[in-house]
């Protein structure tokens, strides 16, 4: 048996040696052939720069463009931008100029610089173009394609008509560079202005002590049209919040174990540039910004029965869409308690210097008494002197112009709702 094993080993060694010899001959022949054929036989590689350019062309992100007035920006605007961003890798937003809005729709409630702050703060927006035109002209469309490398122009399924009745996006559609998203039901700037106009009429007549018309707006009671005796035909909104929509607006990440969590609370009604700027400063003070949003009942009890203009879920979505916000408490308590601070591991509680009503700071029942006693309370200097009342005063000051604007816009919205069909998209 030992001899047989030895013989087998010798046989393997011989076969291995033979394979090596044959392999060496083949390799040598190959090298000789390459030498005799000359340099031309070796395939040349493309220059490194050319490879990089090809790779960049293949990997260039899809850039999409959406424009809008974004006047009194609300969760419907934000949801449109979210959907637009999902159609590409980068979203560029055109913010239409004050002059263009006035010429095509009527005076804007919020000026361009405030609307730019709002658009830039939406977490799905990558860049903005100020003073964008209302209509996509051929010149501006070519500029989008060449200078901004835009691949597609996006708009909602609701019609956008120019004063002469033509489609504002006709050229983009003709060029095959247009994509459509689904309009967010239940809200529009026209609707929100209508809510405020109702509030103005209520305060002057005070005819509905038992249940304000604004409360019907804010709570979405009844899918109907109410003219409030003015003939404006203001449409009552019917916002239907869903758990999926809240998830779509929410961030998937939570705070880390060592995160410095900053807390700020408020009504955040008619979410505006003043809100955005104080949230930006609050976020800079920590690693995670938690925002408490007070209930409709709390706001009504502290600011009057005509408030809030937007209901709790509408306000929550607007705040969630802000890039500086990490998480919200939907229906936060008025008082910041020790238990709440412990539960959410809050490191700092902040409040701005500009608010609807600062009287509570002097009361014995100061809602921030606990964080103040703990030494974790901070007052931030508000960058902008804007409140919800500021926005309402703008409407009141130019009441007739906004009434006419709404009447004009409501006609097209009524036509949209009468002829609308299902559009697949989220």
């Amino acid at each position: 048996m030992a001899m047989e094993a030895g013989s087998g080993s010798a046989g393997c060694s011989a076969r291995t040696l033979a394979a090596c010899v044959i392999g060496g001959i083949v390799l040598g022949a190959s090298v000789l052939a390459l030498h005799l054929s000359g340099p031309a036989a070796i395939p040349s590689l493309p220059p490194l720069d050319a490879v990089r350019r090809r790779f960049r062309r293949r990997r260039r992100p899809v850039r999409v463009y959406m424009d809008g007035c974004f006047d009194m920006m609300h969760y419907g605007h934000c949801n449109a931008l979210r959907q637009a961003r999902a159609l590409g890798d980068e979203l560029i937003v055109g913010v239409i100029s004050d002059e263009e809005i006035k010429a095509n729709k009527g005076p804007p409630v919020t000026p361009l610089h405030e609307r730019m702050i709002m658009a830039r703060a939406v977490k799905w927006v990558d860049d903005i173009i100020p003073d964008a035109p209302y209509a996509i002209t051929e010149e501006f469309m070519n500029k989008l394609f060449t200078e901004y490398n835009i691949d597609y122009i996006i708009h909602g399924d609701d019609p956008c008509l120019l004063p002469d009745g033509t489609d504002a996006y006709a050229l983009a559609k003709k060029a095959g560079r247009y994509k459509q998203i689904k309009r967010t039901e239940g809200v529009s700037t026209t609707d929100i202005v209508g809510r405020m106009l109702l509030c103005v009429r209520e305060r002057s007549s005070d005819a509905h002590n038992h249940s304000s018309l604004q409360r019907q707006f804010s709570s979405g009671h009844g899918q109907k049209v109410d003219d409030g005796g003015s003939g404006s035909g203001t449409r009552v909104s019917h916002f239907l919040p869903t758990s999926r929509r809240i998830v779509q607006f929410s961030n998937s990440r939570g705070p880390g174990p060592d995160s410095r969590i900053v807390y700020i609370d408020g009504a955040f009604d008619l979410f505006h540039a003043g809100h955005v700027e104080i949230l930006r400063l609050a976020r800079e003070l920590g690693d995670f910004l938690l925002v408490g949003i007070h209930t409709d009942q709390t706001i009504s009890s502290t600011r009057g029965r005509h408030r809030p203009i937007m209901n709790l879920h509408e306000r929550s979505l607007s705040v969630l869409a802000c890039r500086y916000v990490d998480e919200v408490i939907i229906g936060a308590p008025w008082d910041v308690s020790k238990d709440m601070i412990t539960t959410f591991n809050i490191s700092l509680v902040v409040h701005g210097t500009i608010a609807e009503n600062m009287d509570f700071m002097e009361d014995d029942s100061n809602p921030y008494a606990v964080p103040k006693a703990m030494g974790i309370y901070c007052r931030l200097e508000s960058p902008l002197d804007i409140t919800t009342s500021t926005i309402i005063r703008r409407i009141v000051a130019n009441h007739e112009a906004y009434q006419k604007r709404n009447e004009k816009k409501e006609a097209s919205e009524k036509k949209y709702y009468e002829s609308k069909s299902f559009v697949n998209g989220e």
Side-chain angles (χ1 to χ4, degrees):
M1 294 295 290
M3 288 184 63
E4 290 177 4
S7 298
S9 300
C12 287
S13 299
R15 285 195 295 273
T16 302
L17 180 62
C20 290
V21 171
I22 293 170
I25 293 171
V26 172
L27 179 63
S30 300
V31 171
L32 180 63
L34 287 172
H35 176 72
L36 293 175
S37 63
I42 302 175
S44 60
L45 295 174
L48 187 58
D49 287 343
V51 174
R52 286 174 177 164
R53 282 196 299 272
R54 289 179 195 170
F55 182 75
R56 278 198 296 268
R57 280 199 297 270
R58 285 199 303 268
R59 296 294 299 165
R60 187 179 75 79
V62 175
R63 289 166 64 87
V64 296
Y65 172 82
M66 175 173 252
D67 61 13
C69 302
F70 305 110
D71 194 17
M72 295 178 59
M73 197 163 197
H74 49 71
Y75 66 91
H77 291 131
C78 298
N79 192 45
L81 295 173
R82 181 190 66 80
Q83 292 180 81
R85 180 64 168 73
L87 295 176
D89 301 306
E90 295 176 0
L91 172 60
I92 313 304
V93 171
V95 184
I96 296 171
S97 70
D98 294 343
E99 293 74 19
E100 288 274 277
I101 296 174
K102 190 172 183 179
N104 288 277
K105 299 178 70 173
V109 179
T110 49
L112 178 63
H113 72 277
E114 290 181 23
R115 293 184 286 114
M116 287 174 59
I117 289 173
M118 297 300 295
R120 188 176 277 117
V122 176
K123 61 187 176 184
W124 299 290
V125 174
D126 295 289
D127 201 1
I128 64 171
I129 300 174
D131 287 315
Y134 190 82
I136 304 291
T137 62
E138 188 167 4
E139 180 184 3
F140 184 70
M141 185 173 68
N142 290 332
K143 184 177 181 180
L144 290 176
F145 296 157
T146 56
E147 293 186 27
Y148 293 99
N149 295 318
I150 298 299
D151 295 289
Y152 297 102
I153 294 170
I154 316 293
H155 187 65
D157 62 320
D158 54 319
C160 183
L161 302 179
L162 300 174
D164 62 2
T166 58
D167 185 354
Y169 296 92
L171 289 174
K173 292 175 181 178
K174 185 178 179 181
R177 306 281 285 272
Y178 176 85
K179 287 190 176 184
Q180 186 170 277
I181 60 169
K182 187 175 182 178
R183 171 179 167 146
T184 304
E185 299 294 336
V187 69
S188 67
T189 300
T190 304
D191 162 58
I192 296 169
V193 170
R195 300 186 200 188
M196 285 185 279
L197 292 175
L198 276 180
C199 290
V200 172
R201 290 198 295 272
E202 273 195 79
R203 280 198 293 268
S204 63
S205 63
D206 198 27
H208 301 275
N209 294 324
H210 62 287
S211 174
S212 81
L213 290 173
Q214 184 276 334
R215 179 64 57 230
Q216 293 178 37
F217 268 99
S218 185
S219 302
H221 296 159
Q223 193 75 293
K224 63 179 182 178
V225 172
D226 183 275
D227 66 9
S230 69
S232 69
T234 301
R235 184 175 181 275
V236 176
S237 174
H238 195 182
F239 172 57
L240 300 174
T242 64
S243 56
R244 181 167 58 172
R245 181 53 45 81
I246 293 173
V247 169
Q248 288 170 338
F249 274 54
S250 300
N251 294 330
S252 58
R253 66 185 183 279
D258 300 319
S259 293
R260 178 176 169 82
I261 300 173
V262 179
Y263 178 75
I264 185 171
D265 61 3
F268 298 100
D269 196 15
L270 298 178
F271 195 61
H272 51 70
H275 291 137
V276 166
E277 287 296 271
I278 197 66
L279 291 174
R280 177 180 61 81
L281 292 185
R283 182 61 176 80
E284 291 175 356
L285 297 177
D287 309 303
F288 192 91
L289 182 60
L290 176 65
V291 180
I293 304 175
H294 296 147
T295 65
D296 296 347
Q297 293 75 18
T298 297
I299 297 168
S300 293
S301 65
T302 57
R303 297 178 190 176
R305 66 186 183 87
H306 298 93
R307 301 288 187 88
I309 303 295
M310 309 289 284
N311 70 37
L312 176 61
H313 287 97
E314 291 177 309
R315 292 181 284 117
S316 297
L317 289 179
S318 292
V319 175
L320 275 172
C322 181
R323 68 173 68 250
Y324 309 118
V325 176
D326 294 292
E327 191 172 359
V328 304
I329 300 175
I330 303 175
W334 178 251
D335 295 301
V336 182
S337 65
K338 177 69 165 63
D339 180 69
M340 180 179 167
I341 292 170
T342 303
T343 298
F344 291 99
N345 195 27
I346 295 169
S347 305
L348 184 66
V349 176
V350 301
H351 195 278
T353 54
I354 301 295
E356 291 287 318
N357 183 1
M358 298 294 286
D359 293 344
F360 63 81
M361 301 298 292
E362 311 302 328
D363 296 343
D364 295 334
S365 58
N366 187 333
Y368 303 107
V370 171
K372 286 182 76 173
M374 295 174 65
I376 61 168
Y377 176 79
C378 173
R379 285 188 69 182
L380 287 177
E381 189 70 32
S382 299
L384 296 177
D385 186 9
I386 303 173
T387 66
T388 300
S389 293
T390 305
I391 306 298
I392 294 175
R393 281 195 295 270
R394 293 175 184 176
I395 297 291
V396 174
N398 208 359
H399 180 241
E400 290 186 5
Y402 291 120
Q403 188 75 58
K404 290 178 181 177
R405 188 181 95 163
N406 265 27
E407 289 171 0
K408 181 180 177 182
K409 184 66 177 173
E410 281 158 2
S412 63
E413 290 204 359
K414 182 180 179 182
K415 185 177 179 180
Y416 162 76
Y417 278 104
E418 288 175 347
S419 61
K420 79 168 187 174
S421 59
F422 176 76
V423 175
N424 187 26
E426 291 297 335

